[in-house]
Amino acid sequence: MAVNFVISPAVQSVLEELEIQRKKIVSTNYKGWGLILGGILLAFPVTNFGGLIAGLLVGAAAVIPGGVMLYKISDDTAQYKSRFKKEVVGAALSSVDQCLTLDPTNGISEAEFTSSQLFTTGIDRYHTEDLICGKVDKTSFYFAEVHAEYKTETRTKNGTQTTWHDILKGIVFTADFNKNFNGVTVVRPKDFGSSIGAWFSKNIFSVGDKNVVELENDGFNKNFVTYSTDQVEARYILTPAMMERINDLNQRSAYTVSLSFINSSMYVAFPLDKNYFEAPVYKTLLRADLLDDDISILGFMYDIVHELDLNTRIWTKQ
Amino acid sequence: MIIVAVIAILVLIIGIGIYNSLISKKNQVANAFSAIDVMLKKRFDLLPNLVETVRQYMQYEGDTLTKITELRGKALGSNVSESDKLALDQQIGSAVKGLMVSVENYPDLKANTNFLNLQSTWTESEEQIAAARRNYNSSVTTYNNAVMMFPGNMFAGMLGYQPMPVLETAEEERKNVDAKELFNN
């Protein structure tokens, strides 16, 4: 389903107000950073000619007001971003479906992310925001931006160096699945490690991963490795039609998706390069393509319910 | 000398691994078949309730209902082989499918909650059996590959293991489940 969003006159007037606020933020940012930079640059020649005290006084006279300006404008920036999400992105959501709601400060909790079993790596830092909830016919769903990371520490001459690595930077989508099931089935992108595990499972069973599910769809097996606590249940969920649908969904995504089926819900993780639903600060709001990317990702998520045919309720789960 | 011993130990470990792997694959096949059996039992248990519910409303489908009851009786008989049971299940499936299509002529039945629940449970059992059959076929394929390919074939020959046939998928199972077809016809 292609989602068309036309900016209404009410949203247009909000955008015009926000544009004024945005320009003020940009100009204050430039002034604040300009004062800080100017103060530092001026402090060096003054120190040379008039001594350290004079240099410090001149530098501080510019740096302190600059810092204060930046500090003061940070509240305005937060308010500007919050209004954009609520009044502009919120309007975009309503235009797609009245049932859709956005909660910018909430997301998918770390506990839920971990229990989804989409990823096995332990989380050291977690951030989530922009929770969007909705319902298409009988299927409730929600999704949010998630940034989960783990850290590695290496010892160097100067001490310990910490490096952060992404587990997932993108969107986690979850929906009520249309069939009842009791176990856990996880579909993960195929990588070198999982391929080796699957090979051992297939050929030398006693040392391999016994939970690997060998499915019949070659295209699906090329991209994914499936694990499940119940071999029959995994096939009950991943019917030939469902595997085709997941293949199609995966082709539309820039990176290979991960899926899990747990507690009668399905979770899909989409790795993404961009932070969505954010107000631009250094680009004008008064442009036709302002919400194109946001609307496109929204339409993509909204379509999952149709694409995976989650509204078909011919089984005992209604 | 040490190298020879290390190689011998390695060969022994690999040999044990392949031997155990063959045994577990054969057990896996048996286990997969018992999963089908459990699903069939669940499905056959639905039939008396379905037949009784439907009989109250359908005046002209008496023959079909009798046929379903007879087929169930045969399938649950003590001397029925596994392959016969599967064949009988396919016949029951076709008969029930025909019955579901006839439901269109009985609006009162279509509105009966008990019948609707039974219909959903029946559809669910069909998918569960299809899943169990796919699981069985996957186990058989893995087992057959192990039995027929080197080096597993050497052990398979010694153990007297033979390749097994996979279950043919019924034409209906290849089709996607179509809700409209099931409920609106």
Side-chain angles (χ1 to χ4, degrees):
Chain A
M1 183 193 71
V3 175
N4 294 312
F5 172 65
V6 180
I7 293 173
S8 68
V11 175
Q12 187 61 38
S13 71
V14 172
L15 282 174
E16 279 161 16
E17 265 180 57
L18 287 174
E19 178 68 7
I20 296 167
Q21 206 176 345
R22 185 193 71 81
K23 282 180 178 164
K24 188 184 156 200
I25 292 165
V26 172
S27 120
T28 311
N29 273 344
Y30 283 146
K31 280 180 200 163
W33 284 111
L35 278 170
I36 291 171
L37 201 67
I40 293 167
L41 289 175
L42 205 63
F44 287 108
V46 174
T47 307
N48 272 346
F49 294 109
L52 183 65
I53 304 286
L56 283 176
L57 283 173
V58 169
V63 169
I64 290 171
V68 171
M69 281 171 98
L70 289 179
Y71 177 74
K72 276 189 169 174
I73 205 67
S74 64
D75 282 349
D76 285 2
T77 310
Q79 194 219 5
Y80 159 76
K81 287 183 175 179
S82 166
R83 267 194 82 191
F84 178 84
K85 281 187 183 179
K86 280 183 185 156
E87 294 175 42
V88 180
V89 179
L93 294 179
S94 303
S95 78
V96 174
D97 186 333
Q98 286 289 328
C99 295
L100 289 172
T101 57
L102 167 69
D103 184 347
T105 52
N106 264 323
I108 286 171
S109 70
E110 187 177 340
E112 186 177 1
F113 180 81
T114 307
S115 69
S116 75
Q117 300 191 27
L118 285 164
F119 301 92
T120 48
T121 316
I123 301 165
D124 292 316
R125 191 161 65 183
Y126 187 84
H127 175 75
T128 181
E129 60 177 11
D130 297 338
L131 177 70
I132 293 175
C133 304
K135 192 172 186 185
V136 182
D137 197 7
K138 289 177 177 172
T139 308
S140 317
F141 67 89
Y142 53 91
F143 60 90
E145 286 186 311
V146 165
H147 191 191
E149 297 166 281
Y150 70 94
K151 66 179 177 186
T152 50
E153 285 178 343
T154 40
R155 288 188 183 280
T156 60
K157 281 179 201 167
N158 304 324
T160 311
Q161 193 189 347
T162 305
T163 315
W164 290 94
H165 311 269
D166 285 345
I167 297 169
L168 173 74
K169 185 173 188 287
I171 286 179
V172 173
F173 172 96
T174 173
D176 173 36
F177 197 61
N178 54 359
K179 290 177 179 173
N180 285 314
F181 53 86
N182 301 314
V184 178
T185 297
V186 186
V187 178
R188 296 206 179 101
K190 199 167 204 168
D191 57 26
F192 183 69
S194 56
S195 302
I196 295 279
W199 185 88
F200 270 106
S201 164
K202 201 172 168 183
N203 297 290
I204 305 174
F205 196 64
S206 45
V207 292
D209 192 338
K210 290 177 187 176
N211 293 327
V212 171
V213 182
E214 278 288 321
L215 294 161
E216 313 89 333
N217 187 316
D218 289 339
F220 189 84
N221 288 339
K222 207 170 129 188
N223 290 318
F224 303 106
V225 176
T226 306
Y227 304 88
S228 181
T229 52
D230 185 329
Q231 294 277 328
V232 177
E233 194 174 84
R235 288 171 174 90
Y236 175 59
I237 294 166
L238 298 167
T239 60
M242 187 59 149
M243 284 190 280
E244 283 301 330
R245 291 188 193 113
I246 292 172
N247 277 340
D248 291 344
L249 184 73
N250 189 49
Q251 274 181 358
R252 290 180 55 206
S253 172
Y255 301 99
T256 308
V257 300
S258 306
L259 298 99
S260 71
F261 301 85
I262 186 167
N263 299 330
S264 272
S265 294
M266 72 170 294
Y267 290 84
V268 192
F270 295 90
L272 298 166
D273 292 322
K274 200 186 149 186
N275 191 3
Y276 287 88
F277 313 117
E278 295 301 321
V281 175
Y282 293 99
K283 272 186 177 176
T284 178
L285 294 173
L286 306 176
R287 57 195 160 94
D289 65 347
L290 172 71
L291 291 170
D292 281 5
D293 287 349
D294 294 341
I295 290 292
S296 139
I297 199 78
L298 184 65
F300 186 91
M301 296 296 150
Y302 191 78
D303 263 0
I304 293 174
V305 174
H306 294 295
E307 258 193 49
L308 298 184
D309 203 22
L310 299 180
N311 271 324
T312 296
R313 301 277 168 153
I314 54 173
W315 301 279
T316 51
K317 188 172 177 186
Q318 293 299 313
Chain B
M1 185 63 191
I2 294 170
I3 294 171
V4 174
V6 168
I7 291 170
I9 290 168
L10 269 177
V11 168
L12 188 70
I13 290 170
I14 291 170
I16 292 169
I18 294 168
Y19 175 82
N20 284 346
S21 165
L22 270 177
I23 303 275
S24 58
K25 282 183 177 94
K26 191 158 193 285
N27 291 341
Q28 187 66 30
V29 171
N31 194 26
F33 200 93
S34 66
I36 299 179
D37 220 29
V38 170
M39 300 292 179
L40 287 177
K41 174 83 173 58
K42 267 169 71 179
R43 186 150 123 126
F44 295 152
D45 286 349
L46 280 174
L47 286 168
N49 208 350
L50 183 70
V51 167
E52 277 317 304
T53 308
V54 165
R55 201 189 291 279
Q56 293 165 27
Y57 294 88
M58 287 182 159
Q59 297 89 354
Y60 307 109
E61 319 293 336
D63 289 349
T64 313
L65 296 177
T66 312
K67 189 184 164 195
I68 291 171
T69 311
E70 279 174 10
L71 288 170
R72 178 181 181 268
K74 277 187 197 170
L76 290 175
S78 52
N79 300 324
V80 187
S81 69
E82 299 295 358
S83 57
D84 286 347
K85 199 184 270 186
L86 286 168
L88 284 165
D89 175 61
Q90 283 196 3
Q91 288 181 48
I92 291 172
S94 303
V96 172
K97 198 162 191 176
L99 198 69
M100 297 295 184
V101 172
S102 314
V103 169
E104 186 62 25
N105 302 322
Y106 303 91
D108 289 347
L109 178 59
K110 264 178 80 180
N112 182 295
T113 318
N114 191 27
F115 172 74
L116 291 174
N117 286 339
L118 282 164
Q119 196 180 33
S120 305
T121 313
W122 183 263
T123 315
E124 190 162 287
S125 78
E126 291 222 309
E127 289 237 332
Q128 281 171 341
I129 288 174
R133 289 170 72 107
R134 285 168 58 214
N135 180 43
Y136 174 79
N137 282 350
S138 169
S139 303
V140 168
T141 308
T142 310
Y143 164 80
N144 285 350
N145 287 343
V147 164
M148 294 162 83
M149 287 158 87
F150 180 82
N153 57 355
M154 295 193 312
F155 288 88
M158 284 188 266
L159 291 163
Y161 282 6
Q162 296 294 323
M164 293 181 185
V166 291
L167 296 174
E168 293 296 324
T169 313
E171 193 54 44
E172 289 86 34
E173 283 176 23
R174 291 203 189 102
K175 293 178 190 165
N176 294 341
V177 174
D178 187 339
K180 280 184 191 154
E181 193 185 306
L182 273 168
F183 289 112
N184 296 338
N185 273 344

